[in-house]
Amino acid sequence: MQLAVPGRNAEVCVVPKHLVDAGYSDEDTKTEAQLCDIDVNLNSAVCPKLNSTNPGLDMYSLPQGSTPQQVQASRCKISGLKKIAKYKLSTSCSYTPSILGYYHLSRALGGIANVPPSVLRTFDLKNHIALGRAALAETAPNALIHQTWAALMAQLTAGSAASRRDLLLTDDFSQSYGALSVNPSGESFYTEFFNGGANNVARAINFRDKNPIVAMLARNVDLGTLVGQSFTFENVQKMVQLRDAANLIVIDTLMNQQDRFGNIHYVETYYYRDPNDLNPDGSARLKSSRKLTPDAVSKVGAVQVKEMMLKDNDCGVAKQNIARQAGLIDRIAHIDPDVYQRVLRLDATADSPQVRDFFLQEVVFTSTDYASFRSNLKDVATKLHQGCTQGRVRPDLDLQSHFSGRPLKPRSCDLQDAGPKP
């Protein structure tokens, strides 16, 4: 999609193609289109990010009666503003292919981890430089965000002479490019997934060795001895946390995540069994929703639990693989059977032109990026499959089956003929 810029080349937003058999939702497709509808000259406003460490751009919806120019002149301090998206580039720790890759890999693994949708976007270079100058003027020189903005500005103003031009600028050097992602709301820092540490490696090791959820995940025992099958808050929360911990380890190992611990969030989510929607075995279908009325909660006996959200995914792919370095994958003794099957299926198809080209074209991986991802995928798939066949990994973190009231059936370790349903 093209977004007009007065007097200069139109900016471009790319609604991505979807990976075949991945678990994209209708809401994902709708959100991608909404992201590409964001036009900072017509229906939204943009201001430089002045907090934390990343020199990104924040996009806001317009309060009624306001224009983009009015909001931007106020430095986005007008009452009623709502941040709707954030634009990040390959600078500081950020890497555009990591942001895009996490979204699509999340869906390839069945929609795990509540990763927000992202699209590929360009931004007029002259306007970007003007926003960068404003950011430098409004931040203290000794602040880290000032320093990261200064580093980015050195690249943007160098244009065709920039040392990182291929990672930051379009071929004609008239625009920057990066990932535009949804700005989620309602999330909170997930303290139960953080065990401290002086640096990224220490934090990963502390998570591996000191986290009670990981300790439970690593116990090679029947799941029923860890989590009861009665549908209670405590049991549902344990199952969701075990599943989230395994999913976190898998996706971060695949994506060379360098800066995860301290960047894990959660959203409150209701789980309930719908008596009006039955499975073939006669059990009520398990469902989840972020929003239920008090009457609905009472009627269906819903429980509200913490569900992991990975929203900060920019420091990966071409980075230090902290999860692999800490050997987190070896702590998985239980995993969601659908995620397990999807890992095996992705590994079985990863050398096909269809899958490889998807990551190179839609997710803008370099060939080196994809070779690294492919190596990680082979390692994870092999370890999980060997662990399963040897009885050390159990594909049993299936909430539907666990709380069905029916005897739990053993799951196959081998790749099934029929692909997992999105």
Side-chain angles (χ1 to χ4, degrees):
M1 299 177 65
Q2 293 197 346
L3 302 158
V5 178
R8 294 198 281 275
N9 294 341
E11 295 170 343
V12 174
C13 185
V14 180
V15 180
K17 295 177 182 176
H18 285 173
L19 191 60
V20 175
D21 291 331
Y24 300 93
S25 67
D26 291 342
E27 188 65 24
D28 287 336
T29 302
K30 177 182 176 183
T31 302
E32 291 165 357
Q34 289 173 338
L35 284 169
C36 279
D37 278 338
I38 295 174
D39 188 331
V40 298
N41 293 302
L42 291 177
N43 59 23
S44 62
V46 58
C47 283
K49 190 168 174 286
L50 302 178
N51 65 312
S52 190
T53 61
N54 185 280
L57 300 178
D58 291 333
M59 311 288 191
Y60 295 86
S61 60
L62 297 178
Q64 188 172 5
S66 298
T67 67
Q69 294 73 25
Q70 289 171 335
V71 173
Q72 286 156 204
S74 78
R75 292 290 182 251
C76 296
K77 298 288 194 283
I78 289 179
S79 176
L81 279 183
K82 179 183 178 184
K83 188 191 299 185
I84 53 176
K86 46 193 177 183
Y87 176 70
K88 292 184 177 181
L89 302 86
S90 297
T91 186
S92 183
C93 193
S94 289
Y95 190 48
T96 296
S98 181
I99 301 171
L100 299 171
Y102 260 92
Y103 167 50
H104 291 284
L105 184 59
S106 162
R107 288 359 182 224
L109 298 180
I112 67 171
N114 288 303
V115 176
S118 298
V119 295
L120 185 64
R121 178 74 149 81
T122 70
F123 198 89
D124 180 78
L125 184 58
K126 290 184 179 179
N127 289 339
H128 202 158
I129 289 172
L131 289 165
R133 286 177 177 147
L136 291 175
E138 295 177 37
T139 52
N142 62 345
L144 182 56
I145 187 64
H146 182 97
Q147 295 162 13
T148 55
W149 263 112
L152 174 60
M153 284 290 286
Q155 294 290 318
L156 297 183
T157 55
S160 61
S163 61
R164 295 172 60 83
R165 66 184 196 177
D166 290 345
L167 297 175
L168 293 168
L169 303 174
T170 55
D171 286 347
D172 64 0
F173 309 113
S174 70
Q175 299 172 352
S176 65
Y177 77 89
L180 185 65
S181 304
V182 169
N183 184 66
S185 60
E187 78 283 3
S188 301
F189 178 65
Y190 209 152
T191 56
E192 290 90 338
F193 276 75
F194 184 65
N195 298 91
N199 54 51
N200 291 326
V201 175
R203 290 178 175 189
I205 291 173
N206 287 346
F207 178 73
R208 181 192 69 193
D209 296 341
K210 298 180 180 180
N211 189 279
I213 302 167
V214 175
M216 190 183 306
L217 183 70
R219 290 182 61 190
N220 184 16
V221 297
D222 184 81
L223 185 62
T225 67
L226 299 176
V227 187
Q229 288 183 257
S230 57
F231 192 77
T232 64
F233 162 77
E234 181 181 10
N235 289 337
V236 174
Q237 182 67 89
K238 280 185 181 179
M239 280 287 287
V240 170
Q241 286 181 329
L242 288 171
R243 182 196 65 189
D244 284 347
N247 290 346
L248 168 73
I249 291 170
V250 167
I251 198 168
D252 277 0
T253 303
L254 293 176
M255 292 291 282
N256 287 354
Q257 179 55 236
Q258 181 176 305
D259 186 27
R260 173 58 67 207
F261 299 100
N263 286 316
I264 303 173
H265 297 77
Y266 74 87
V267 286
E268 296 281 3
T269 304
Y270 290 103
Y271 279 80
Y272 62 96
R273 294 174 294 186
D274 187 346
N276 299 315
D277 188 0
L278 302 181
N279 292 301
D281 65 1
S283 62
R285 192 175 298 277
L286 185 68
K287 297 182 178 181
S288 64
S289 175
R290 299 268 182 88
K291 297 179 181 179
L292 285 180
T293 66
D295 286 345
V297 169
S298 177
K299 183 177 180 180
V300 298
V303 295
Q304 190 179 37
V305 301
K306 295 178 179 180
E307 189 175 74
M308 183 177 68
M309 169 181 280
L310 299 183
K311 67 170 189 173
D312 292 320
N313 305 305
D314 52 338
C315 191
V317 180
K319 306 295 179 178
Q320 182 182 6
N321 194 331
I322 299 297
R324 190 168 181 174
Q325 184 175 332
L328 295 184
I329 198 71
D330 297 322
R331 303 296 283 168
I332 293 180
H334 304 271
I335 190 170
D336 183 318
D338 182 55
V339 174
Y340 174 83
Q341 284 290 322
R342 285 177 178 273
V343 169
L344 297 189
R345 186 164 301 282
L346 188 58
D347 178 59
T349 59
D351 295 320
S352 68
Q354 181 185 39
V355 173
R356 186 176 186 276
D357 289 350
F358 174 85
F359 280 92
L360 294 178
Q361 295 172 13
E362 302 302 319
V363 190
V364 294
F365 275 26
T366 66
S367 296
T368 301
D369 293 339
Y370 193 72
S372 173
F373 169 75
R374 184 67 187 96
S375 172
N376 293 338
L377 177 59
K378 177 57 68 179
D379 184 63
V380 168
T382 300
K383 285 191 173 184
L384 291 177
H385 184 256
Q386 288 181 350
C388 185
T389 57
Q390 295 167 7
R392 293 181 286 103
V393 175
R394 305 173 186 229
D396 55 5
L397 291 180
D398 182 346
L399 274 75
Q400 177 66 62
S401 296
H402 191 79
F403 296 116
S404 67
R406 304 288 195 274
L408 301 180
K409 297 179 180 179
R411 298 280 186 160
S412 173
C413 292
D414 295 327
L415 178 62
Q416 301 301 291
D417 292 336
K421 294 181 179 179

